[in-house]
Amino acid sequence: MAGEPAPPEPRVRLRTGAVLAVLAAALAVSAIAGLALGPVRIAPDRVLGIVVGGLSGNRPTGAFASIVWDVRMPRILLGAVVGAGLAVAGTVLQALVRNQLADPFLLGASSGASAGAVLVIVFGAAAAGFGMGVPLAAFVGSMAALAAVYAMARRGGTMTTGRLILAGVAVQYILSAFTSLVLVLAAHPDQIRSVLFWTLGGLGGARWDELALPTVALLVGGALLLTLARPLDLLLAGEEGAHTLGLDTGRFRAAVFVLTSLVIGVLVACSGAIGFVGLMVPHAARMVVGAGHRALLPVAALGGAVFLILADLIARTAAAPEEIPVGVVTALVGGPFFLWMLRRSSRTEGVTG
């Protein structure tokens, strides 16, 4: 109709497309760096030759080819999948609770998934559920932790930053104590090492045959969440307005909580608890492309993949030949970032909110 302003979609799409192109290039560069650098350094052109040869079916032989293809490539791919998934999950959780301080780690989802997986590993039920015992336990733990934090933080129909943070910290302390108890009860050194892996996070155990499940979880879960971009925008704008426009906020929030918990549980079952990816990356993506989830989700996914690949590269090389758990690296970056966000949050009013 005449007199109505033209919608801004073309400009937004162009801007989002440019950002995605830059992030895709950054992902390629970070992947090549991750394949080339480590205790054994390999020239980038040789890395490209090995990768191209492997993809074409003429995989080169030798020590360098084995390092690139069998050791580093699965690790890079798992880092990309886990980083993208945690960033997407953090973006969605921030919309569900309408708080930019929300994060799978801070809200206890990662800790819950780790606790469930550790319980299954130590007490010998990892083979339950047709070999899906660990992912299933991680999913249940993730969803239970999220539900507990949400129930404690939402009081009288409202949720504040202070209560959300306190609830998340409380759940994390409880789950940390539980994991420590399981560590004490663990009878074998291999189990103790597995528990430490779950608590600190790491990509060192990545193998080709373990990439399918997290990749499917990311692709399917990410695609479903992308179709929910408009309801997420409505929820972020205000629960009353969303309800007025026909969105059943209660059912929608519960369904998306389950879907997000499933994605987090599968990812944490493969990488352990890696914190702050879902806090920092969505915030940075929102500063670039705005709060609209149709653009925000894919940008956050690529940004999370780049961030975790680089964090893992630092973990592998900073103290070589020793390896730092990647969760330690992300915490060293994410802790100060969280404090900065907490300080500038306009919705934080005291500790109790």
Side-chain angles (χ1 to χ4, degrees):
M1 293 179 61
E4 291 186 353
E9 282 82 356
R11 169 183 270 179
V12 173
R13 287 174 183 170
L14 178 62
R15 183 184 181 188
T16 302
V19 173
L20 290 173
V22 171
L23 286 174
L27 180 60
V29 172
S30 61
I32 293 173
L35 293 173
L37 300 177
V40 177
R41 298 201 171 193
I42 306 172
D45 58 338
R46 192 161 191 174
V47 168
L48 287 174
I50 293 171
V51 172
V52 172
L55 294 176
S56 64
N58 299 317
R59 176 183 160 184
T61 58
F64 285 167
S66 179
I67 291 173
V68 170
W69 199 258
D70 297 327
V71 178
R72 294 180 183 173
M73 180 68 79
R75 184 168 185 154
I76 295 298
L77 294 176
L78 181 61
V81 169
V82 172
L86 291 178
V88 168
T91 303
V92 173
L93 288 177
Q94 289 170 10
L96 290 180
V97 301
R98 297 183 59 204
N99 195 306
Q100 292 186 17
L101 296 176
D103 165 77
F105 185 78
L106 293 174
L107 295 187
S110 294
S111 300
S114 294
V118 166
L119 182 65
V120 168
I121 290 172
V122 171
F123 291 100
F130 303 100
M132 299 290 290
V134 172
L136 285 174
F139 162 63
V140 172
S142 172
M143 189 168 63
L146 276 176
V149 171
Y150 182 76
M152 287 188 289
R154 189 174 179 83
R155 185 177 62 194
T158 62
M159 180 185 301
T160 66
T161 297
R163 284 205 299 268
L164 186 69
I165 294 172
L166 290 176
V169 169
V171 169
Q172 281 197 70
Y173 271 121
I174 293 171
L175 294 173
S176 177
F178 173 80
T179 305
S180 298
L181 176 63
V182 173
L183 180 61
V184 172
L185 297 176
H188 303 291
D190 290 341
Q191 292 179 339
I192 295 176
R193 283 193 293 269
S194 296
V195 172
L196 291 176
F197 161 79
W198 285 104
T199 57
L200 298 176
L203 305 174
R207 300 201 307 261
W208 281 106
D209 58 354
E210 296 178 348
L211 289 175
L213 183 60
T215 302
V216 170
L218 172 64
L219 294 178
V220 175
L224 290 175
L225 291 171
L226 189 59
T227 65
L228 301 175
R230 177 161 177 76
L232 287 171
D233 290 343
L234 294 177
L235 193 62
L236 188 62
E239 191 161 340
E240 292 184 2
H243 186 73
T244 302
L245 293 174
L247 179 65
D248 188 337
T249 56
R251 289 186 178 181
F252 176 75
R253 184 178 275 113
V256 177
F257 259 128
V258 172
L259 177 58
T260 307
S261 298
L262 178 59
V263 173
I264 295 171
V266 172
L267 296 178
V268 174
C270 299
S271 67
I274 300 175
F276 296 103
V277 178
L279 172 70
M280 294 183 290
V281 175
H283 183 73
R286 200 176 288 110
M287 293 174 65
V288 176
V289 296
H293 286 84
R294 188 167 297 279
L296 183 59
L297 287 173
V299 169
L302 280 178
V306 173
F307 174 75
L308 194 55
I309 289 175
L310 293 177
D312 184 57
L313 178 59
I314 295 173
R316 289 191 287 119
T317 58
E322 297 296 326
E323 182 175 317
I324 303 171
V326 68
V328 174
V329 177
T330 60
L332 288 174
V333 178
F337 183 87
F338 172 72
L339 293 175
W340 172 74
M341 284 196 65
L342 185 62
R343 181 178 178 83
R344 70 184 293 269
S345 175
S346 60
R347 286 181 287 181
T348 304
E349 298 178 2
V351 176
T352 60

